[in-house]
Amino acid sequence: MSMSVAIAVITFRRPALLRGLLTSLQAQELPADGDYSIRVVVVDNDADGSAAGVLEEFGAGTPYPIESVVEPEPGIPFARERSVELCWNDDALIFVDDDEVAPPGWLKTLLTTWEATGADVVTGPVKGNLPPGAPPWNHYSDVHDSTGRHTTGEELRKAYTNNTLVSRRVYHTVTPGFHPAFRYTGSSDLHFFLRVHRAGFRIVWCEEACIAEEVPVGRTTLHWLVRRAFRSGSGDTISRLLIRPGAISYVLVLAYASARVISAFGLALAGLLLGRKTHLLKAVRRFFSGVGSLAGIVGINHDEYRERHGAESGPADPKADPEADGSDPVRRHLAGGEGSGPARVADPGHASLADHPDARLP
């Protein structure tokens, strides 16, 4: 019996990158001994439907049919939740980001690992393609490269939506999946997969199913690194407090955050004594991640994906740096949008558009 697998893509005003991803997906091969039906589902988070021009280029005759829909409610969780709804009857869905390119063999490897391990979730690494002139620290850091962190078959406690296959039994059980409290901050995928693991599902790593992403210039600065580390720590804390509210959870995340800040000083000292730049860079990331974790306890996070000129200021300038958002850390209600309904209708009312919907964490 044929297995139906959907590749889910959410996008926002990045036509060239979307074109590159879709082209690479159409070139994928399937396992020789498997019987799979593959389709691509694109959710355009731009209310104006700006991805339509690119999607028209992939008409009839493509190896894998492409279906698309506009999700006008701005924000990453709403687009992701819409993807799940559209793929509800598929045996599995694969999340990828619109700024990635799948190398030959990627899909076959991911599906083969899913078959061989019987895992509920299979996730793989992402390797960034740095732009010319990127500062040296980008080359010796793993901030844009998650290869080599785990071995194939290793079971994990979390995953992200940048290169991950999710079995139907998972998103049928852990629903709604993506919490609107993370509308502009990212980490809705972290929150989802922490819940997936807590529900008893197996998350397995596949080192060979590596996918590439294009790293924009705006993500090669130390300023971006600091803000991303802060957001990563805060998102982790908020995710855990949403999953398990109560005094014990607050004590645990406080201890974890404090340990990260303290250990950052140890890494920095080791880096200075040993002359290790990698240690110093990790110290910076760990320190601001710890600070973000502390801020998350009181609901403060960085709105990395909010409109560059503020949520109420209208459309962004298309000529502006696509990575510049100009936003500051903001306080939010941890349970915002909480409810039993699907995430995309749980927090209506905002007319602004979210920035590009990729939520990878370093």
Side-chain angles (χ1 to χ4, degrees), residues 20-25 27-28 96 100-107 210-212:
L21 169 64
L22 295 179
T23 300
S24 71
L25 294 179
Q28 295 298 307
V96 294
E100 295 177 330
V101 172
W106 164 78
L107 180 59
C210 183
I211 202 167

Side-chain angles (χ1 to χ4, degrees), residues 12-241:
F12 178 81
R13 296 184 182 177
R14 298 206 283 192
L17 293 174
L18 178 62
R19 181 181 296 109
L21 169 64
L22 295 179
T23 300
S24 71
L25 294 179
Q26 294 298 330
Q28 295 298 307
E29 298 179 354
L30 298 177
D33 56 351
D35 185 8
Y36 289 97
S37 173
I38 306 295
R39 66 192 183 108
V40 180
V41 175
V42 177
V43 176
D44 186 357
N45 203 202
D46 182 0
D48 294 332
S50 58
V54 173
L55 296 171
E56 289 174 357
E57 300 174 16
F58 298 85
T62 55
Y64 310 121
I66 298 177
E67 302 172 27
S68 65
V69 67
V70 172
E71 174 48 64
E73 184 66 29
I76 299 166
F78 304 95
R80 285 198 181 123
E81 193 70 19
R82 189 68 180 275
S83 298
V84 172
E85 292 175 357
L86 295 171
C87 304
W88 192 255
N89 294 321
D90 290 288
D91 294 297
L93 67 87
I94 300 173
F95 287 108
V96 294
D97 289 336
D98 66 347
D99 59 352
E100 295 177 330
V101 172
W106 164 78
L107 180 59
K108 179 169 63 175
T109 302
L110 200 61
L111 293 173
T112 300
T113 303
W114 182 42
E115 289 181 354
T117 63
D120 304 296
V121 176
V122 180
T123 187
V126 176
K127 186 173 181 60
N129 295 324
L130 295 171
W137 66 262
N138 287 270
H139 295 275
Y140 60 75
S141 165
D142 64 351
V143 66
H144 299 298
D145 184 356
S146 58
T147 60
R149 297 182 185 179
H150 310 283
T151 57
T152 297
E154 181 179 347
E155 295 194 14
L156 308 180
R157 300 175 64 88
K158 59 185 179 181
Y160 305 99
T161 53
N162 51 10
N163 181 16
T164 301
L165 180 150
V166 183
S167 300
R168 176 169 59 185
R169 55 184 172 270
V170 173
Y171 52 84
H172 277 199
T173 302
V174 184
T175 184
F178 299 100
H179 202 298
F182 302 99
R183 176 193 286 268
Y184 296 121
T185 63
S187 296
S188 63
D189 54 348
L190 171 64
H191 176 250
F192 171 69
F193 284 111
L194 287 174
R195 292 163 60 208
V196 167
H197 180 267
R198 185 177 175 84
F201 293 108
R202 291 176 59 227
I203 303 174
V204 167
W205 182 262
C206 179
E207 178 70 15
E208 294 77 20
C210 183
I211 202 167
E213 75 168 6
E214 298 301 319
V215 179
V217 173
R219 293 192 174 195
T220 63
T221 67
L222 288 174
H223 182 226
W224 172 84
L225 177 68
V226 166
R227 291 188 302 165
R228 176 56 68 94
F230 179 94
R231 195 265 283 174
S232 171
S234 181
D236 183 88
T237 290
I238 293 174
S239 294
R240 295 179 190 279
L241 293 179

Side-chain angles (χ1 to χ4, degrees), residues 240-313:
R240 295 179 190 279
L241 293 179
L242 283 171
I243 293 170
R244 189 181 178 185
I248 294 177
S249 291
Y250 277 93
V251 171
L252 290 175
V253 297
L254 177 60
Y256 173 77
S258 301
R260 290 191 68 79
V261 171
I262 294 171
S263 66
F265 288 104
L267 269 174
L269 180 60
L272 291 172
L273 293 176
L274 300 175
R276 300 279 182 87
K277 294 180 179 180
T278 53
H279 283 42
L280 293 173
L281 189 62
K282 287 181 178 179
V284 171
R285 290 172 62 190
R286 186 169 296 183
F287 175 80
F288 285 100
S289 174
V291 171
S293 295
L294 292 171
I297 294 175
V298 292
I300 295 177
N301 202 347
H302 170 56
D303 273 19
E304 183 169 354
Y305 303 102
R306 184 179 289 274
E307 196 73 35
R308 285 185 288 276
H309 303 291
E312 307 303 329
S313 61

